[in-house]
Amino acid sequence: MARRKKLYEGKAKVLYEGPEPGTIVQYFKDDATAFNAEKKDVIDGKGVLNNRLSEFFMTGLTQIGVPNHFIKRLNMREQLVRAAEIVPLEVIVRNYAAGSMAKRLGLEEGTRLPRPIVEFSYKDDALGDPLVPEEYIIAFGWASQQDMDDIVAMALRVNDFMSGTMFGVGIKLIDFKIEFGRVYEGDFPRLIVADEISPDSCRLWDIESGQKLDKDVFRHDLGNLNDAYTEVARRLGVLPSNVTHAPTKPTLIN
Ligand code: TMP
């Protein structure tokens, strides 16, 4: 088989040309980075967990009518997605203060916000993904006012879905980051949720204990990252079968 064409390699994923026009194969690596790649490691199995978890969240979004890039999972580390022009923004939704917001405003981590707050960073590693107001986004043409209205509306729907799903398994959704892409139906552009949704790009705290079950475990050396992601996957019922350690009973075949 011909070697497939690599389109892009990022910090946690590789994108390959898909089997049909308009499709992309998204490969999840085991690499973990933080603080704009100042801190790096390889966490065996992280890519497998994130592939499954992103499939789970994107499929749920499809079920409630939030358009997204996910088509199907291909194997343990790869999924087929729709090719989209990525809008150069990190769209962050916050329910509780944490991370850069807690630091910027001097708020205690975990303080409930008066309502979900949506903010935007300009995607540029060299600049450290700076926070930008909506006016910059429109003025520089990264997205139109209509795009921004659609992005905020979709981000809040993703927040409701993710908050409810996580609450159902005893986890508080503190905040998350998503990205959007533009696809074309004929000449008509439409925005869809793209990239990934996984514990790499969310803050997830156990409701009872407050234990962190997301990439902050890696950022701040709080323990084993895979154990945290496995716990999230286990609670959601999406553990890959080869990571399951549950004893299996012989099944009687009639
Ligand atoms: P922050 O508090 O560090 O700004 O992060 C907000 C959310 O965005 C948090 O859930 C982690 C996520 N995030 C990313 O997915 N990628 C990034 O590069 C950064 C800085 C944060």
Side-chain angles (χ1 to χ4, degrees), residues 11 33-36 90-94 97-102 104 109 119 121 125 128-129 131 173-179 195 198-204 214-216 219:
K11 287 179 284 205
T33 65
F35 313 117
N36 208 4
E90 302 208 327
V91 178
I92 295 157
V93 184
R94 300 182 188 269
S100 64
M101 176 193 242
R104 191 177 313 114
E109 286 225 321
E119 66 180 43
S121 293
D125 281 343
D129 299 338
L131 190 68
L173 178 67
I174 302 295
D175 57 31
F176 65 92
K177 182 268 294 185
I178 49 174
E179 294 182 24
D195 188 50
S198 76
D200 266 10
S201 47
C202 300
R203 283 198 176 91
L204 305 169
D214 57 66
K215 205 165 95 175
D216 272 350
R219 291 191 189 97

Side-chain angles (χ1 to χ4, degrees), residues 56-114:
F56 175 82
F57 294 127
M58 294 289 184
T59 305
L61 289 179
T62 301
Q63 279 164 1
I64 64 158
V66 177
N68 64 81
H69 74 165
F70 183 79
I71 301 173
K72 65 173 178 182
R73 190 168 53 80
L74 298 171
N75 55 49
M76 297 240 298
R77 287 186 181 274
E78 293 178 330
Q79 49 183 245
L80 189 67
V81 300
R82 275 188 83 170
E85 275 171 19
I86 296 293
V87 177
L89 296 175
E90 302 208 327
V91 178
I92 295 157
V93 184
R94 300 182 188 269
N95 298 304
Y96 298 84
S100 64
M101 176 193 242
K103 202 170 163 193
R104 191 177 313 114
L105 302 183
L107 292 169
E108 193 184 335
E109 286 225 321
T111 308
R112 175 182 268 290
L113 299 172

Side-chain angles (χ1 to χ4, degrees), residues 154-186:
M154 278 194 268
L156 290 173
R157 288 200 69 201
V158 174
N159 185 45
D160 284 346
F161 169 75
M162 294 285 295
S163 295
T165 302
M166 300 318 296
F167 183 72
V169 296
I171 294 173
K172 204 149 72 168
L173 178 67
I174 302 295
D175 57 31
F176 65 92
K177 182 268 294 185
I178 49 174
E179 294 182 24
F180 288 84
R182 222 172 257 116
V183 291
Y184 290 87
E185 261 113 58

